[in-house]
């Protein structure tokens, strides 16, 4: 039986096939899905550190990210709790100009696991697209992710768009590596969470 360290190595090396082969085995063995996720997150942290030091470049990062997404797709059904119909709809996306979607996918997965209906708009999502979708589905909240300092202003524009459209009752949550609580306060968003697990706590407290 494979070890979790093999999953870390496979994600890091961008070996999607290995990820696809071994993740179902971990799930069948009853290993906690958080542990499986952790093994992949360790790999992405290492990828980030190497990328920063110019030890690897965009293609390697992209290949690792794809391997991680493959693992996340397999894990999703396990993380999503069975049972009650979701009471709240949440629209999620990475903001305009930003293509990073791994963290956003993770947040979406955790929200599904907490029994929210998640409408994922993907990445590079303009403020008006968030607005239209939130209106269309009657969302309780929108969740904005940004990984680039240069795309954070799109969060400001999205908060503004919701306020101007009179949708102030739809909670706007922000997060992503460069985002902070003080940025959240500054732009008038309703909530900030530093990671996917606390995003669930935050949205639950905002909606309750
Ligand atoms: Co890019 N990238 N990237 N990248 N990339 C970063 C973010 C960077 C920090 C790398 C570095 O320089 N050290 C840097 C940003 C610098 C900055 O602005 N401060 C950077 C850069 C510069 C770029 C490009 C500009 C590079 C270039 O082309 N020269 C370019 C931009 C493209 C674009 O978006 N327009 C680019 C491209 C890419 C790839 C396409 C190659 C790839 C993305 C693939 C994909 O996502 N499908 C990529 C990747 C993978 C990274 C790193 C290595 C990893 C990001 C990641 O997935 N982390 C990253 C370096 C790093 O972070 N160490 C880097 C794992 C993920 C689980 O974490 O997304 O932070 P994260 O999510 C966390 C929390 O932030 C939080 O929850 C998650 C954990 O639980 N969270 C939320 C996220 N969203 C939330 C929303 C919430 C709450 C919590 O709402 C409430």
């Amino acid at each position: 039986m494979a070890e979790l360290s093999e999953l870390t190595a496979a994600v890091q090396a961008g070996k999607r096939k290995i990820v696809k082969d071994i993740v179902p085995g971990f799930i069948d063995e009853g290993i906690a899905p958080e542990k499986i996720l952790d093994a992949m997150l360790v790999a992405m942290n290492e990828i980030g550190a190497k990328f920063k030091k110019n030890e690897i470049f965009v293609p390697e990062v992209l290949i690792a990210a794809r391997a991680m997404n493959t693992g996340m797709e397999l894990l999703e059904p396990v993380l999503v709790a069975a049972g009650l119909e979701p009471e709240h709809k949440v629209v999620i996306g990475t903001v305009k100009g930003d293509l990073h979607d791994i963290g956003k996918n993770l947040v979406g997965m955790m929200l599904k696991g907490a029994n929210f209906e998640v409408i994922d708009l993907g990445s590079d999502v303009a403020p008006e697209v968030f607005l239209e979708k939130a209106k269309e589905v009657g969302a309780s909240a929108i969740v904005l992710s940004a990984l680039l300092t240069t795309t954070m202003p799109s969060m400001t524009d999205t908060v503004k768009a919701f306020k101007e459209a009179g949708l102030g009752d739809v909670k706007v949550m922000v997060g992503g590596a460069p985002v902070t609580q003080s940025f959240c306060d500054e732009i008038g968003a309703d909530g900030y969470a530093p990671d996917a697990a606390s995003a669930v706590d935050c949205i639950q407290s905002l909606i309750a």
Side-chain angles (χ1 to χ4, degrees):
M1 194 64 225
E3 301 287 329
L4 283 173
S5 57
E6 288 173 53
L7 177 58
T8 304
V11 171
Q12 225 176 298
K15 306 270 188 201
R16 289 171 84 179
K17 187 173 180 316
I18 297 181
V19 172
K20 210 171 174 177
D21 287 345
I22 64 179
V23 167
F26 294 133
I27 295 169
D28 291 346
E29 260 187 277
I31 294 179
E34 307 90 278
K35 284 195 175 167
I36 305 174
L37 259 182
D38 273 352
M40 295 195 284
L41 287 174
V42 167
M44 290 311 297
N45 280 341
E46 187 58 24
I47 287 289
K50 286 186 174 172
F51 185 55
K52 209 170 183 174
K53 289 188 267 175
N54 287 331
E55 288 175 7
I56 57 167
F57 300 97
V58 172
E60 289 100 318
V61 176
L62 196 49
I63 290 166
R66 284 190 186 147
M68 175 148 181
N69 275 334
T70 298
M72 284 169 59
E73 277 164 24
L74 292 165
L75 260 190
E76 185 168 3
V78 187
L79 287 172
V80 174
L84 298 170
E85 280 293 298
E87 202 182 327
H88 294 285
K89 291 180 181 166
V90 177
V91 172
I92 188 169
T94 307
V95 297
K96 191 173 177 184
D98 202 322
L99 302 176
H100 297 85
D101 66 358
I102 298 173
K104 180 267 297 170
N105 291 345
L106 192 50
V107 173
M109 210 186 283
M110 297 291 276
L111 289 172
K112 282 186 194 172
N115 206 32
F116 287 93
E117 182 176 338
V118 177
I119 297 101
D120 189 344
L121 297 178
S123 52
D124 191 16
V125 183
E128 56 275 19
V129 177
F130 278 113
L131 189 62
E132 282 314 308
K133 187 52 86 176
K135 272 197 225 164
E136 181 193 319
V137 303
S140 304
I142 60 163
V143 173
L144 313 178
S145 178
L147 262 285
L148 297 170
T149 45
T150 49
T151 57
M152 287 165 67
S154 185
M155 290 180 155
T156 315
D157 297 342
T158 309
V159 170
K160 208 169 148 212
F162 272 71
K163 289 197 172 139
E164 283 175 2
L167 287 187
D169 53 332
V170 177
K171 303 293 179 194
V172 182
M173 290 185 51
V174 292
V179 180
T180 59
Q181 181 64 56
S182 64
F183 177 74
C184 166
D185 298 340
E186 189 187 310
I187 67 171
D190 298 293
Y192 158 76
D195 55 57
S198 33
V200 173
D201 299 338
C202 181
I203 201 165
Q204 278 168 338
S205 65
L206 283 174
I207 288 175

